[in-house]
Amino acid sequence: MTDLRRVGTNPDFWYPVAVSRRLRPGRVLGTAFAGERIALYRGRSGAVHALEDRCAHRQVPLSMGVVEGETLLCCYHAWAYRGDGRISRIPYLSKGDGRPPRGVRAYPVREAYGLVFVFPGDPDKAAVTALPELPAFGTPKYKTMTFSRTVHCHYSFMHENLLDMNHQFLHRGVVGKLRPELLEHRTGARSVEARYLFTHAGGKRNRSAGLLAAEGIGGSHSRDVMTIRTAYPYQTLDLVPENAERPAFRLWAAYVPEDAEQRTCHAYGLLMIEKPGIPGALHLAWPFIRRFTERVFAEDRMAVEAEQRAWEEQGEDRNHEVFPLILDVRNVLRSNGVPLGPGDAPDSPASHEGRASASGCHAAEPATPVSEMPPVELPDG
């Protein structure tokens, strides 16, 4: 059986690569998906564009460039790129000079839920592939906390960590003694869902645990139902306190590989917390909840990064998993992923060129020499 840690994330989905508020108008951000460096920029109209992060001239990263209207200028020789990757202007090119290169790859890009999503796979599939659905986001009943953190591990460790709630001993210092009981779990071709019953069995707990879950998880006599779902490639978690009508909080998460070997991922999370009946109460509790969640995440990160180090030291996956739920999610991740064998790394020039050709991603047309080119005026948007 293929080692799951050598299986890459399937690129034919929408992946978050930045927090929207960090990409102000006129600004450029460098990001990456599985070794493919991507330059994001927001033009004068407010629209976001995503280009391959290299100038076709000297390969200088376009993320070092300057935004001018709706175009991105390379910082080196001011070659100008439209949002579709085509070269719109080369300042010093004369009529008799050689024809310039065709441009760079442009990625389908969308903004939703306060995040910037790109579609790194077959661009023809972008229009028919839906963004994840987050019905609680932006509703009056919930307030959202956004997380964006780099974790030095293969994305599969993150899926396993959240699904396997038997690791609560790791968090004993902040939630006390929690006893999780797996009520049921279901597995499909692209998903695994588990329902746990949590009961508090004593021990000291952080007060913010109760603030987060409306005196739910970790409460003195609480019995909370937690539903966790990996629906490839995303993950969700809902916690419903006993006798509650709706979740006290809902979490959506995506783990985006950054390097070609996919041993580092960027975790994006949206934690949607139910607003209590007292106006302003959640606002006052917000910094305490943030501190609590950051501490829990830090403990999880410590564990999954230790797993990754063990994998690298051993050169293979030698762990002995006995929990059927985790065996199921491994099969889902393995069957929906893509191989990362020699020569198949996402940043391989040959594989990149072949994938672009096979996917119908064509390079931009040659630019018109500047002496024959009318002034470029791109419409807003």
Side-chain angles (χ1 to χ4, degrees):
M1 186 176 295
T2 303
D3 188 338
L4 175 59
R5 321 309 173 186
R6 300 185 189 276
V7 175
T9 292
N10 191 327
D12 287 331
F13 292 89
W14 290 98
Y15 290 92
V17 291
V19 177
S20 288
R21 67 175 179 269
R22 296 177 183 170
L23 188 62
R24 298 187 299 272
R27 186 176 179 187
V28 192
L29 287 178
T31 185
F33 176 87
E36 295 183 7
R37 292 189 294 116
I38 301 171
L40 301 175
Y41 75 96
R42 192 184 295 278
R44 177 182 56 192
S45 68
V48 176
H49 309 282
L51 302 181
E52 186 180 358
D53 194 8
R54 65 173 187 88
C55 180
H57 180 211
R58 299 280 186 88
Q59 315 304 309
V60 172
L62 290 176
S63 57
M64 298 169 60
V66 177
V67 178
E68 186 178 89
E70 296 301 315
T71 60
L72 179 59
L73 277 59
C74 176
C75 70
Y76 199 6
H77 293 86
W79 284 31
Y81 294 84
R82 296 188 181 101
D84 61 2
R86 297 172 184 265
I87 298 170
S88 65
R89 181 167 57 91
I90 299 175
Y92 53 86
L93 190 65
S94 301
K95 184 175 181 179
D97 292 339
R99 296 176 68 84
R102 290 172 171 258
V104 297
R105 179 183 180 186
Y107 294 84
V109 58
R110 295 177 65 180
E111 283 191 273
Y113 314 124
L115 300 172
V116 178
F117 289 79
V118 299
F119 196 90
D122 183 345
D124 291 337
K125 296 180 180 179
V128 296
T129 303
L131 286 167
E133 295 184 4
L134 281 67
F137 184 91
T139 65
K141 297 183 183 298
Y142 288 87
K143 182 177 180 180
T144 301
M145 185 178 291
T146 301
F147 297 90
S148 172
R149 295 287 185 274
T150 296
V151 187
H152 297 289
C153 74
H154 190 265
Y155 63 90
S156 61
F157 289 117
M158 299 295 289
H159 281 271
E160 294 177 14
N161 171 266
L162 192 62
L163 265 173
D164 189 353
M165 282 291 140
N166 295 304
H167 77 272
Q168 294 308 308
F169 182 75
L170 177 68
H171 305 305
R172 61 194 180 278
V174 287
V175 297
K177 296 180 180 178
L178 288 180
R179 184 170 65 247
E181 176 188 351
L182 181 63
L183 300 178
E184 62 175 343
H185 82 275
R186 296 178 291 182
T187 302
R190 280 188 48 212
S191 65
V192 175
E193 181 177 288
R195 292 179 66 245
Y196 290 91
L197 177 67
F198 274 88
T199 54
H200 185 249
K204 184 179 180 180
R205 68 182 180 90
N206 188 298
R207 174 60 181 163
S208 297
L211 294 174
L212 173 62
E215 296 299 335
I217 189 167
S220 56
H221 298 289
S222 64
R223 288 171 58 85
D224 311 309
V225 175
M226 182 178 288
T227 302
I228 310 166
R229 179 179 175 85
T230 287
Y232 193 92
Y234 315 118
Q235 203 164 35
T236 60
L237 181 154
D238 290 352
L239 182 130
V240 181
E242 190 173 24
N243 301 320
E245 297 180 356
R246 55 179 172 264
F249 66 83
R250 313 187 78 172
L251 172 68
W252 176 88
Y255 316 116
V256 184
E258 293 187 335
D259 58 318
E261 294 182 332
Q262 303 199 16
R263 297 183 185 179
T264 296
C265 66
H266 200 101
Y268 291 90
L270 298 173
L271 181 62
M272 292 151 279
I273 306 171
E274 185 183 26
K275 297 178 181 178
I278 304 173
L282 184 57
H283 176 75
L284 294 175
W286 204 250
F288 301 100
I289 295 175
R290 166 71 76 170
R291 192 176 306 141
F292 165 74
T293 53
E294 291 284 6
R295 181 173 173 184
V296 171
F297 182 82
E299 292 175 345
D300 285 332
R301 179 162 56 184
M302 174 191 66
V304 295
E305 289 183 346
E307 289 184 284
Q308 179 66 52
R309 288 194 300 272
W311 185 92
E312 292 172 352
E313 291 167 359
Q314 297 164 1
E316 61 181 354
D317 202 345
R318 296 185 186 177
N319 67 55
H320 300 284
E321 185 54 61
V322 295
F323 195 25
L325 174 64
I326 300 306
L327 297 175
D328 284 353
V329 77
R330 288 181 179 178
N331 287 334
V332 167
L333 296 175
R334 187 181 290 111
S335 62
N336 286 279
V338 295
L340 283 180
D344 290 331
D347 65 343
S348 166
S351 64
H352 176 85
E353 182 178 339
R355 184 167 68 247
S357 174
S359 66
C361 175
H362 302 291
E365 294 297 324
T368 304
V370 69
S371 59
E372 301 176 3
M373 187 185 302
V376 177
E377 292 293 339
L378 297 180
D380 289 349

